[in-house]
Amino acid sequence: MQTLTQANRIITPVSGGGRGRNPAFQDPQVRQALVRLHSQVNALKPQGSLLRSDMSQFIAKPVLQYLYQSQNPQVVKIFNGNQHSQPRRDQQGQVRNGSTFFTWAINAFAGLLSDIVLNDNLQSIIRGDRNTQKAQRAFTSGGWNGFKRVCSRQIAAWYLVNRQRVLNNYVAQFGSDPQQMAGRYTQSPGFGRIIQAATTAIDGGDKSVGAMLRRTNSFMGNLIPVPGGGPAAAAPMGAPQPMGGSSSSSSSASVSAPPSPRLGPRM
């Protein structure tokens, strides 16, 4: 009976219990296991936006680098920048990176691609009436940026589980060859507006695209339509200009037009 009482004292939580008062958590092997598990969980957490990072690495950067190497005139202009920002060179004088306008275009393109992925998968990301209502309010007040800010946890959790499927659908399915991906993604109006914004800033002698938008009292808005009748996409600089180049050249950006990004389920 005495042994049973002592056992009960060990396994019965005391008032205000927790890891600090539970003897099991003081065991060195248990502590090591917890440290290992925490490390594994932290390694799985997205650093910033994992979706946007993947879209940049696997699509946006390769496509824009391909267009530059193919001598697409607009992309070459963006790569070269203006007097405020020019390509960065190493100590040997070799060009390593394009201007900050080129970096901006990559980031903006990655954001557009992220929005396309989210738009195509809204029903899987947002479930339940309460979450749907929250998402719709976010769309109404802030468009895609508002949605991504308010629903960041749901997006991160969904992408962590579906990352490989997304990469298969949006990269592997259309070929990892940048020319094929350019044919798929660069014909969207949103991409045209990104290119136009960057070239407008360069031609205007602005230090950045942001400076040009402030100078002209313009904004990029939503590059793809917002589900459920949210804020309309803004096109402050007129209709996007088509990418230059000859369609008959294998190095041209003007390849066959891809299907338009399909609209996701209305919320």
Side-chain angles (χ1 to χ4, degrees):
M1 189 69 179
Q2 184 179 5
T3 303
L4 180 60
T5 302
Q6 292 174 344
N8 286 339
R9 287 176 182 171
I10 293 176
I11 65 175
T12 301
V14 295
S15 176
R19 294 181 182 180
R21 297 188 181 185
N22 192 324
F25 288 103
Q26 305 306 317
D27 185 284
Q29 293 183 343
V30 173
R31 293 170 68 90
Q32 291 177 3
L34 287 173
V35 170
R36 184 172 64 254
L37 289 173
H38 281 303
S39 298
Q40 293 173 351
V41 170
N42 288 333
L44 290 173
K45 289 181 179 179
Q47 302 300 314
S49 172
L50 183 60
L51 171 59
R52 189 181 185 120
S53 175
D54 281 348
M55 293 299 102
S56 175
Q57 177 181 353
F58 296 115
I59 302 179
K61 284 182 180 179
V63 166
L64 282 171
Q65 288 170 351
Y66 159 76
L67 294 175
Y68 168 72
Q69 293 167 357
S70 301
Q71 294 297 297
N72 178 278
Q74 291 172 291
V75 176
V76 168
K77 174 184 284 190
I78 295 171
F79 188 93
N80 290 332
N82 59 19
Q83 69 273 22
H84 298 293
S85 178
Q86 297 177 355
R88 293 179 288 279
R89 300 176 182 270
D90 60 19
Q91 294 180 349
Q92 287 72 39
Q94 299 295 319
V95 174
R96 294 303 181 192
N97 299 100
S99 70
T100 55
F101 298 97
F102 191 72
T103 302
W104 178 89
I106 291 175
N107 291 333
F109 188 21
L112 167 63
L113 294 164
S114 299
D115 292 349
I116 291 173
V117 172
L118 296 177
N119 190 61
D120 289 347
N121 293 278
L122 279 178
Q123 281 187 327
S124 299
I125 299 169
I126 304 301
R127 299 189 177 191
D129 292 340
R130 182 176 179 181
N131 288 331
T132 299
Q133 293 171 3
K134 181 175 72 172
Q136 186 57 67
R137 288 195 298 269
F139 273 123
T140 302
S141 62
W144 281 104
N145 287 336
F147 167 71
K148 287 183 286 190
R149 182 178 62 254
V150 172
C151 301
S152 59
R153 290 187 178 181
Q154 292 97 320
I155 294 171
W158 171 82
Y159 190 63
L160 207 57
V161 173
N162 294 276
R163 184 184 185 193
Q164 191 59 55
R165 180 182 64 82
V166 169
L167 294 179
N168 288 341
N169 287 346
Y170 293 86
V171 180
Q173 180 180 349
F174 303 108
S176 57
D177 175 59
Q179 182 177 6
Q180 294 184 34
M181 289 193 294
R184 167 68 182 178
Y185 294 114
T186 63
Q187 301 301 314
S188 71
F191 182 80
R193 288 172 54 203
I194 290 169
I195 296 300
Q196 186 178 10
T199 55
T200 299
I202 292 170
D203 291 340
D206 294 288
K207 293 183 178 181
S208 65
V209 176
M212 180 276 295
L213 294 174
R214 291 189 295 271
R215 175 177 61 81
T216 59
N217 195 27
S218 303
F219 58 99
M220 294 297 293
N222 299 295
L223 296 179
I224 63 171
V226 171
M237 292 162 289
Q241 299 298 315
M243 300 292 292
S246 170
S247 61
S248 61
S249 171
S250 60
S251 63
S252 169
S254 298
V255 293
S256 57
S260 300
R262 62 184 182 278
L263 295 181
R266 299 183 70 85
M267 303 189 63

